Amino acid sequence: MPRHLLMLNRITGANGRRLLVAVPLVWLALFFLLPLLKTLQVSFTTAQRSVPPYAPLWGFDDTGFFTNFTLDNYQLLATYWQDYIGPAGNSVKLAFFSTLVCLIFAYPMAWWIARSNAAWRAVLLVLVMLPFWTSSLLRIYALIGLLNPNGFINAMLIWLGIIDTPMRMMQTDFSIYMGMVLTYLPLMILPLYAVMVRLDDDVIEAATDLGASSVGVWWTVILPLTLPGVIAGSLLVFIPAVGEFVIPALLGGPDQLMMGKVLWTEFFRNRDWPVAAAIAMLLLAILTVPIIYARYQDGRDDRDADTPTGAS
Amino acid sequence: MAPFIRLTALTKKFNDVVAVDDLSLDIDKGDLFCLLGASGCGKSTLLRMLAGFEQPTAGTIEIDGQNMAGVAPADRPVNIMFQNYALFPHMSVAGNVGYGLRRAGMRGAALAERIDALLKLVRLAGYGDRKPKQLSGGQRQRVALARALARQPKLLLLDEPLAALDKKLREDTQFELVDIQERLGTTFMVVTHDQEEAMTLAGRIGIMDNGRLVQVDSPRTLYENPKNRFVADFLGMISFVEGRVTKAASTALVIDSTPPITAAIDQQRGLASQPEKGAQVTLAIRPEKISLSAVATGAVNEIPVIVEDLAYLGVASNYRVKTADGQMFKLQQQQSRRASKPLEWGDAGFIQFDPADVIILP
């Protein structure tokens, strides 16, 4: 064994290994769990003109220990739920259809990459990830440049004589979904690719050999075996897509209010941190439902799909 | 009547590489045929052409009188048992075995009954609900066999059927495989690189080299009467001696190879014509046909040797001995007497072999 590996082994002995695990754990606790708890705490406070703009949840004053715990913010959301259900619905709808479109594009792409020869695979994977290496904001502005009334696409179409007046593409569903799919597609391709590249050719040939049509092979063998990738990719796209703020704000119209925009307004315009925190917590609760469901499905994954008695 | 399976002038080229070269072969119905060859000899390509995964560059495949050209893998009366079994990991044993039947439209009680019968055939009754990963290697192999047999193929292709099993399990499995094949009467074609697997399983073996069939015969004929040096060397151990014919009588040849070796003529089935005096020939002798003794016995072919190397195997010992002029012989001595004192490394002795056991190769 090379010397540096021996050294590492010595450092990462029984205690060392625990230390290695502890570092990311501490990191997660500091930068993920603590802010989350802080948000939860803020959601139980009352807004006021101060820095920070909310009353402390507990503390000491002349009368001694006091608490200011309140459920008013949640009550507010419950009372004015009609004001929030629209944006929440818009966000979930956007996330859902973005996930669906990503899945439709990514599945054949991932399959094609996974079935290419090894040298090509590396190139194609880099191409998939390449957009990630540029700022997402830059990509969206580039898209605006393409879709604008006097942008590249309209100019091209007019020059070709296909249309006379510029088409309206910006601030439509089309532009939002363009932005969403362009941004999130790699997150769908990568987990799909990971399961597809491990898929055994022999299993596909065995199904063909046993009389399955190409659709039959896909439905009975390839789809069930790539389902974990479909679930993982869908979660990776859906969850950040629900909270997406930048893309709808830059590419969408003013008529469609998204949850991200509502949060932004509550935080920065109304300076009502407690209500914003309550919205965030509620959104989190809504988002964890699909995760828990997916994990539950994962556990059931072991059940068979093609038993003689089961329907298919 | 045409044979059950007939391959005629079958050729497969990948770009400029010839994988299968002008191969013709007939297999009778109910045969257990084995295709034996080193990796890269083209046997896998041949198997994939039979299954329909590769299209021949030239030549035809006929199964039961039907030309297979243009017939998709799914529509061929051929099934494969894959080397790594290729079981569907997300389906139960019953789901795997019934897969082909479901694709053929079988459902309900008929399907369940057929699956039960197949599982019973491979001694896995009651395992229908298990997942492949809950099974041992031997059980998985039997699921793969049942799945491949489910559609009652006219030809079953088995790709290295025993390769993934450990040695102890292989012996039981190979007899079981032969037993099932005999009971069903299905034509089996085993493809393997393992000569022991081929010898124990098959009634007829085709030895393949460089895309061509070198010799097709029973295991015994291949071993005792190899057609050429490649076959002789490929199957088991053998010693070769080069020499020139110095005396050609009607019953025996004497070959000058210091010392002279006498070979009986009537045993040379692999030879097209009798070599003439002065012809250059290769002689081959199997190790178990050579005996070794400390003293001369006066036999026809007796050569003084020195023990170069010896490996004790329990049942027998493998020797490598050397003659005065440097010719090596491999031989095997049975340990038939516990008390006998065998020759050791560096000892001088004599080897003897019967002229009838000398193989003359062209």
Side-chain angles (χ1 to χ4, degrees):
Chain A
M1 209 189 290
R3 243 180 101 159
H4 61 278
L5 279 184
L6 279 173
M7 286 282 287
L8 189 70
N9 226 22
R10 205 169 306 147
I11 298 165
T12 59
N15 288 319
R17 217 159 296 147
R18 238 167 265 154
L19 188 82
L20 275 184
V21 179
V23 170
L25 273 181
V26 169
W27 178 272
L28 277 177
L30 270 179
F31 297 105
F32 175 76
L33 205 57
L34 280 184
L36 187 72
L37 289 174
K38 185 70 188 168
T39 313
L40 185 67
Q41 182 204 332
V42 172
S43 77
F44 295 124
T45 60
T46 320
Q48 66 179 32
R49 281 187 169 280
S50 63
V51 177
Y54 57 86
L57 192 55
W58 62 73
F60 292 93
D61 61 4
D62 312 337
T63 57
F65 184 75
F66 71 91
T67 57
N68 272 328
F69 182 85
T70 174
L71 285 172
D72 282 357
N73 304 309
Y74 290 97
Q75 225 150 24
L76 185 95
L77 292 182
T79 313
Y80 297 101
W81 63 272
Q82 279 147 320
D83 295 345
Y84 297 100
I85 198 78
N90 286 341
S91 286
V92 169
K93 193 182 111 197
L94 175 73
F96 177 79
F97 284 107
S98 299
T99 307
L100 197 67
V101 174
C102 279
L103 188 59
I104 290 167
F105 280 113
Y107 200 92
M109 275 175 84
W111 181 259
W112 178 61
I113 296 171
R115 299 285 120 177
S116 302
N117 68 46
W120 262 110
R121 275 204 302 256
V123 175
L124 293 170
L125 275 180
V126 168
L127 285 178
V128 165
M129 288 184 285
L130 206 58
F132 263 171
W133 297 348
T134 64
S135 152
S136 67
L137 214 55
L138 214 62
R139 269 178 285 148
I140 287 164
Y141 276 110
L143 192 61
I144 293 173
L146 285 176
L147 299 179
N148 258 343
N150 52 1
F152 179 78
I153 293 176
N154 273 314
M156 198 72 177
L157 289 175
I158 291 170
W159 183 73
L160 285 171
I162 294 168
I163 51 171
D164 299 327
T165 49
M167 283 194 299
R168 184 169 175 256
M169 286 182 290
M170 274 302 296
Q171 273 121 33
T172 59
D173 278 355
F174 175 74
S175 57
I176 295 189
Y177 282 108
M178 274 298 269
M180 293 295 280
V181 171
L182 279 180
T183 306
Y184 287 105
L185 199 60
L187 292 179
M188 185 66 93
I189 292 179
L190 293 177
L192 281 174
Y193 167 81
V195 292
M196 285 171 178
V197 79
R198 273 183 290 143
L199 194 64
D200 198 349
D201 273 340
D202 283 354
V203 177
I204 296 166
E205 281 188 350
T208 311
D209 184 60
L210 291 165
S213 61
S214 43
V215 176
V217 173
W218 185 79
W219 179 248
T220 58
V221 175
I222 298 173
L223 182 64
L225 291 178
T226 52
L227 205 58
V230 172
I231 292 171
S234 299
L235 284 177
L236 276 178
V237 173
F238 184 83
I239 290 167
V242 172
E244 182 61 49
F245 168 68
V246 177
I247 293 170
L250 292 179
L251 295 172
D255 46 326
Q256 285 225 320
L257 198 54
M258 303 286 169
M259 223 47 204
K261 176 79 175 167
V262 171
L263 267 176
W264 189 87
T265 312
E266 293 290 359
F267 252 108
F268 296 104
R269 193 143 311 153
N270 297 352
R271 277 187 75 77
D272 195 340
W273 287 23
V275 166
I279 294 170
M281 292 317 293
L282 217 58
L283 208 56
L284 181 73
I286 292 166
L287 288 184
T288 43
V289 172
I291 303 177
I292 290 163
Y293 179 73
R295 293 215 45 115
Y296 169 73
Q297 278 294 28
D298 242 15
R300 279 164 40 111
D301 210 25
D302 280 348
R303 303 252 182 103
D304 32 356
D306 214 25
T307 48
T309 45
S312 80
Chain B
M1 204 189 94
F4 195 60
I5 287 148
R6 164 160 274 180
L7 314 181
T8 316
L10 203 60
T11 301
K12 177 70 186 179
K13 288 181 190 164
F14 295 104
N15 300 320
D16 284 341
V17 182
V18 182
V20 174
D21 190 3
D22 192 27
L23 185 146
S24 296
L25 173 68
D26 291 342
I27 301 172
D28 288 332
K29 188 173 179 156
D31 255 11
L32 206 169
F33 185 84
C34 185
L35 208 55
L36 177 62
S39 61
C41 74
K43 59 189 195 301
S44 298
T45 308
L46 182 60
L47 178 113
R48 292 176 62 78
M49 280 197 284
L50 283 164
F53 293 127
E54 303 283 357
Q55 296 307 314
T57 313
T60 55
I61 299 169
E62 283 170 80
I63 297 174
D64 202 8
Q66 193 195 350
N67 192 335
M68 287 291 123
V71 181
D75 301 325
R76 294 194 179 202
V78 178
N79 285 121
I80 308 188
M81 195 179 107
F82 287 85
Q83 182 177 2
N84 62 3
Y85 312 141
L87 298 178
F88 305 126
H90 58 298
M91 292 180 202
S92 66
V93 168
N96 269 283
V97 173
Y99 187 86
L101 301 171
R102 287 177 65 78
R103 303 284 89 68
M106 199 186 267
R107 294 286 187 279
L111 177 65
E113 214 169 277
R114 181 92 178 93
I115 291 171
D116 280 348
L118 284 160
L119 288 179
K120 205 171 281 167
L121 178 74
V122 295
R123 297 190 297 107
L124 281 174
Y127 282 73
D129 290 334
R130 304 247 185 129
K131 277 295 181 63
K133 66 179 166 201
Q134 294 170 293
L135 301 178
S136 70
Q139 289 169 333
R140 257 180 246 155
Q141 192 253 16
R142 299 200 315 257
V143 174
L145 181 64
R147 185 179 72 173
L149 285 169
R151 283 167 72 106
Q152 292 176 295
K154 288 177 177 168
L155 171 65
L156 183 72
L157 304 169
L158 300 98
D159 190 0
E160 312 261 355
L162 307 175
L165 303 176
D166 55 58
K167 195 170 162 53
K168 204 84 188 157
L169 199 57
R170 296 174 64 137
E171 282 167 19
D172 299 336
T173 311
Q174 65 198 21
F175 290 117
E176 201 175 291
L177 210 57
V178 172
D179 181 55
I180 287 174
Q181 192 269 337
E182 278 172 357
R183 252 193 290 164
L184 296 176
T186 309
T187 312
F188 275 30
M189 186 188 222
V190 175
V191 167
T192 183
H193 71 276
D194 183 335
Q195 50 162 301
E196 202 184 313
E197 189 171 321
M199 300 282 257
T200 48
L201 284 175
R204 220 153 61 102
I205 297 174
I207 296 197
M208 227 179 142
D209 182 41
N210 260 326
R212 288 173 170 275
L213 272 177
V214 183
Q215 187 174 358
V216 182
D217 262 313
S218 72
R220 191 185 174 82
T221 310
L222 286 172
Y223 189 78
E224 303 289 3
N225 286 299
K227 225 180 201 171
N228 58 28
R229 191 168 175 148
F230 176 81
V231 177
D233 203 19
F234 192 75
L235 282 184
M237 284 202 295
I238 202 153
S239 312
F240 292 108
V241 183
E242 306 283 344
R244 195 177 294 277
V245 180
T246 53
K247 209 168 91 187
S250 59
T251 52
L253 295 177
V254 176
I255 289 105
D256 161 42
S257 58
T258 52
I261 292 171
T262 306
I265 280 295
D266 58 338
Q267 294 298 320
Q268 310 305 331
R269 291 196 199 93
L271 224 52
S273 62
Q274 189 179 326
E276 309 212 334
K277 193 176 169 184
Q280 186 74 33
V281 291
T282 302
L283 304 179
I285 308 124
R286 292 287 180 196
E288 71 281 3
K289 308 289 196 292
I290 304 173
S291 59
L292 178 68
S293 63
V295 290
T297 59
V300 182
N301 290 318
E302 185 160 61
I303 306 164
V305 292
I306 288 170
V307 176
E308 275 279 304
D309 208 350
L310 108 102
Y312 177 75
L313 303 174
V315 167
S317 288
N318 286 341
Y319 283 86
R320 285 199 322 145
V321 297
K322 198 173 175 180
T323 63
D325 55 318
Q327 172 70 45
M328 296 292 273
F329 285 93
K330 291 175 217 158
L331 61 117
Q332 192 168 55
Q333 292 292 98
Q334 297 293 316
Q335 317 285 346
S336 41
R337 287 277 179 280
R338 223 171 117 194
S340 70
K341 191 182 164 296
L343 287 178
E344 294 290 347
W345 183 84
D347 285 355
F350 295 89
I351 57 167
Q352 305 91 16
F353 45 89
D354 196 309
D357 289 331
V358 180
I359 305 161
I360 302 174
L361 297 169

